Amino acid sequence: MNTITSGINLSDPAPHKEPERQYYFIEKAKEYVRKEAEEAGRPMTFCVTTFGCQMNARDSEKLRGILLEIGYEEASEEEADFVIFNTCTVRENANTRVYGRLGQLKSHKKKNPHMKIALCGCMMQEPEVVEKLRTSYRFVDLIFGTHNIYKFAELITAVYESGRMVIDIWKDTDKIVEDLPNDRKYSFKSGVNIMFGCNNFCSYCIVPYVRGRERSRKPEAIVREIERLVADGVTEVMLLGQNVNSYGKNLEEPLSFAELLQKIEQIEGLHRIRFMTSHPKDLSDELIEVMGKSKKICKHLHLPVQSGSSRILKKMNRHYTKEQYLELVDKIRAAVPDISLTTDIIVGFPGETEEDFLETLDIVRKVRYDSAFTFIYSKRTGTPAATMEDQVPEDVVKDRFDRLLKEVQTIAAEVCAVHEGTIQEVLVESVSDHDDHMVTGRLSNNILVHFQGDASMIGDYVNVKLDQCKGFYYIGEQV
Ligand code: 5AD
Ligand code: SF4
């Protein structure tokens, strides 16, 4: 990376080529931040607040990478001079929370003349949101979307130079900019984007509208990134995409996700490979076979079912039936016997009857998930489901949600307990929040384990006897 920064002369015009252009703006922004810190007589500080999914978490690492690079230091949201919200819009309540938090920031900004407020992420891809911010939230300094996050340094420079609200939203893009800085939250594990966007248009989902069309990164770029991460101490990667099973379809030289996994498996020093999310309709036999044979792919599959009713699945535009999903589960379990399965379920999709809901309960009982994220259907303007008739009354949805949650939790506790007494490998992630003589780690199947240890063990693989199942986690002891 330093080869790109060396030789930058700020009196030259900005280069057009990426990522060189961004390294130029990083140098420029660095100058502005240095001057502002000098004026203030203290370092400038930042805070990145992330809403939503793992994709956003990874994007936030890129934002933090740039902010650190240009000379900001990390602080809490209350103290920070530069606050950025990386937003989510998958459900309405995510938007409501952002407006609430913004209100609080307004009063901070009145007290701190150095303060800058930025907003980015999925919510900013909705034109109504940007219009509302533009008119009623004038104290925001910078707004950008999901497609141009790589331009963060350039946009910060624009804020310093214009002194006005800077808005830069793109409708879509076919561009992927590689090799920009990022700052990982964990030293030993990392998310790795393998693709961006989604082409599935599930009828309830806003993601295809805010994240744009599917674009896959080239396999060489992915492998190179992982090799660098491994050289830097990472042993576990989480391959990220809205639908990883359709990876590679639109590459110049198409390559399947299963083939990509096999390439990644060969990277020496890499110990664990995870991925999410998988769409059931695209999960191939080839992938199941690769998972069955792999030494590194973790024994965990997140396979969102959304509903157990084939009638509702059709209205959701999911392209599979309840029976097909169950067959797929059987195939996966036959190939990877002790795999843990998790899922996402939506309750109260328009037109969902009690019979449809009972089908959902039934599929939960049949599959017996290790855990499930359950969501109340949220109407997203612009999606086909938003204008469907028979929106389900709130009290009915609430009742179904509670019944589903109870079922999911009961089964999850039973499923989790089957490992009691076994010895398994744990990757130690942190010192326990509740007790500093304990550490918390993760099994290959993603279950958390707490056992005696200290900070020096973080990042180590340790064999642990799983003594006691506590519902969805274990208490164990090192052997
Ligand atoms: N309402 C409720 N849940 C939703 N999800 C996506 N869109 C909606 C919506 N409009 C859920 C799906 C998806 C998960 C990430 O969020 O279950 O798998
Ligand atoms: Fe949304 Fe469906 Fe794409 Fe997932 S696969 S992001 S639920 S449209």
Side-chain angles (χ1 to χ4, degrees):
M1 262 170 225
N2 294 334
T3 49
I4 306 181
T5 21
S6 65
I8 290 177
N9 186 345
L10 290 180
S11 50
D12 290 343
H16 290 291
K17 210 168 143 245
E18 300 291 4
E20 288 79 356
R21 184 176 172 84
Q22 294 316 310
Y23 281 95
Y24 172 91
F25 281 109
I26 285 174
E27 289 309 308
K28 209 158 193 187
K30 218 182 252 180
E31 274 301 295
Y32 288 122
V33 176
R34 193 184 54 75
K35 276 190 204 136
E36 193 169 20
E38 226 169 68
E39 268 170 42
R42 60 175 175 83
M44 289 290 106
T45 55
F46 77 91
C47 177
V48 179
T49 302
T50 312
F51 297 84
C53 66
Q54 310 240 16
M55 285 278 201
N56 266 20
R58 180 65 180 149
D59 283 348
S60 287
E61 293 185 341
K62 298 176 186 169
L63 300 171
R64 293 176 57 225
I66 302 275
L67 288 164
L68 288 168
E69 193 75 23
I70 65 175
Y72 275 98
E73 293 178 8
E74 196 152 17
S76 69
E77 196 176 298
E78 292 71 42
E79 292 164 5
D81 299 298
F82 190 109
V83 174
I84 177 161
F85 289 168
N86 188 6
T87 63
C88 167
T89 187
V90 79
R91 284 168 291 274
E92 179 66 34
N93 57 4
N95 292 37
T96 319
R97 274 169 60 210
V98 167
Y99 289 123
R101 296 278 283 271
L102 261 183
Q104 293 166 2
L105 281 188
K106 189 178 180 182
S107 55
H108 289 191
K109 192 166 179 177
K110 279 195 184 131
K111 290 181 222 140
N112 179 358
H114 299 285
M115 187 154 184
K116 293 184 178 49
I117 300 172
L119 294 165
C120 68
C122 293
M123 194 176 149
M124 301 306 122
Q125 293 294 137
E126 292 182 277
E128 314 78 60
V129 168
V130 174
E131 203 37 50
K132 180 168 171 172
L133 292 167
R134 192 205 296 272
T135 49
S136 313
Y137 293 79
R138 295 296 312 163
F139 57 93
V140 172
D141 299 278
L142 170 62
I143 298 173
F144 58 102
T146 54
H147 303 303
N148 51 351
I149 186 166
Y150 75 87
K151 276 181 69 183
F152 189 35
E154 183 171 350
L155 293 168
I156 294 175
T157 311
V159 170
Y160 271 109
E161 289 177 354
S162 77
R164 284 187 289 128
M165 189 189 229
V166 173
I167 303 180
D168 189 12
I169 309 282
W170 301 359
K171 267 201 144 60
D172 203 350
T173 184
D174 50 12
K175 202 165 171 165
I176 298 176
V177 177
E178 300 284 354
D179 299 327
L180 284 167
N182 68 74
D183 182 66
R184 291 197 316 276
K185 187 167 170 208
Y186 299 96
S187 58
F188 52 89
K189 68 170 185 177
S190 179
V192 174
N193 298 108
I194 62 165
M195 60 197 300
F196 303 93
C198 180
N199 284 356
N200 291 308
F201 291 96
C202 300
S203 63
Y204 50 82
C205 186
I206 201 163
V207 169
Y209 305 89
V210 296
R211 288 260 172 191
R213 295 294 61 72
E214 219 168 81
R215 307 168 304 281
S216 296
R217 284 177 72 195
K218 291 201 177 102
E220 307 82 61
I222 297 169
V223 169
R224 190 175 65 214
E225 177 177 348
I226 299 176
E227 281 170 350
R228 280 191 195 146
L229 287 168
V230 169
D232 199 29
V234 166
T235 59
E236 177 181 305
V237 290
M238 166 76 94
L239 309 177
L240 298 169
Q242 301 297 345
N243 176 11
V244 292
N245 299 118
S246 66
Y247 170 82
K249 285 188 180 152
N250 44 18
L251 284 172
E252 263 167 46
E253 291 171 47
L255 181 90
S256 70
F257 179 55
E259 288 168 320
L260 176 72
L261 279 172
Q262 285 168 291
K263 279 184 194 284
I264 296 174
E265 174 110 19
Q266 284 161 24
I267 298 174
E268 219 166 295
L270 184 65
H271 206 78
R272 281 182 174 181
I273 305 169
R274 300 183 185 277
F275 54 84
M276 75 186 327
T277 292
S278 289
H279 195 306
K281 80 175 164 65
D282 297 310
L283 199 138
S284 65
D285 291 347
E286 185 198 13
L287 175 64
I288 296 175
E289 198 189 319
V290 168
M291 288 182 76
K293 287 193 185 137
S294 169
K295 298 266 179 298
K296 296 186 180 175
I297 301 174
C298 287
K299 293 191 186 305
H300 171 218
L301 186 66
H302 185 65
L303 195 63
V305 65
Q306 312 298 2
S307 168
S309 154
S310 298
R311 196 181 73 85
I312 294 292
L313 286 168
K314 188 151 201 255
K315 287 179 74 182
M316 286 177 161
N317 196 31
R318 292 288 291 176
H319 298 279
Y320 55 85
T321 61
K322 179 188 186 190
E323 290 69 32
Q324 285 166 334
Y325 184 95
L326 286 169
E327 269 171 41
L328 185 61
V329 166
D330 285 345
K331 262 202 270 184
I332 296 162
R333 288 209 163 121
V336 194
D338 39 0
I339 195 163
S340 127
L341 289 176
T342 58
T343 201
D344 293 342
I345 304 170
I346 298 176
V347 203
F349 183 83
E352 184 190 75
T353 62
E354 176 64 17
E355 287 71 46
D356 293 318
F357 175 68
L358 292 176
E359 294 281 354
T360 297
L361 281 183
D362 184 58
I363 205 163
V364 164
R365 289 183 190 129
K366 289 206 163 98
V367 177
R368 297 180 60 78
Y369 293 104
D370 287 69
S371 79
F373 295 104
T374 50
F375 304 108
I376 287 180
Y377 166 72
S378 169
K379 189 169 165 176
R380 308 310 289 127
T381 310
T383 63
T387 51
M388 285 182 189
E389 283 169 15
D390 302 329
Q391 303 277 333
V392 186
E394 219 172 286
D395 54 331
V396 176
V397 180
K398 183 75 183 58
D399 171 65
R400 287 182 193 160
F401 183 82
D402 292 344
R403 283 152 69 199
L404 176 65
L405 192 63
K406 210 169 136 209
E407 194 68 42
V408 160
Q409 286 174 343
T410 310
I411 294 173
E414 290 166 12
V415 175
C416 178
V418 302
H419 308 286
E420 214 166 74
T422 62
I423 293 171
Q424 297 204 33
E425 190 182 57
V426 173
L427 169 56
V428 182
E429 297 200 339
S430 58
V431 172
S432 165
D433 293 340
H434 309 291
D435 181 348
D436 35 341
H437 302 294
M438 302 281 275
V439 288
T440 303
R442 219 172 268 274
L443 301 176
S444 164
N445 69 11
N446 214 33
I447 291 179
L448 289 177
V449 184
H450 305 281
F451 62 101
Q452 243 184 38
D454 57 53
S456 70
M457 295 160 80
I458 292 174
D460 290 352
Y461 289 86
V462 177
N463 284 326
V464 175
K465 178 153 175 275
L466 306 179
D467 287 332
Q468 225 186 346
C469 176
K470 294 279 191 184
F472 57 96
Y473 66 93
Y474 272 97
I475 302 290
E477 65 187 311
Q478 189 174 354
V479 289

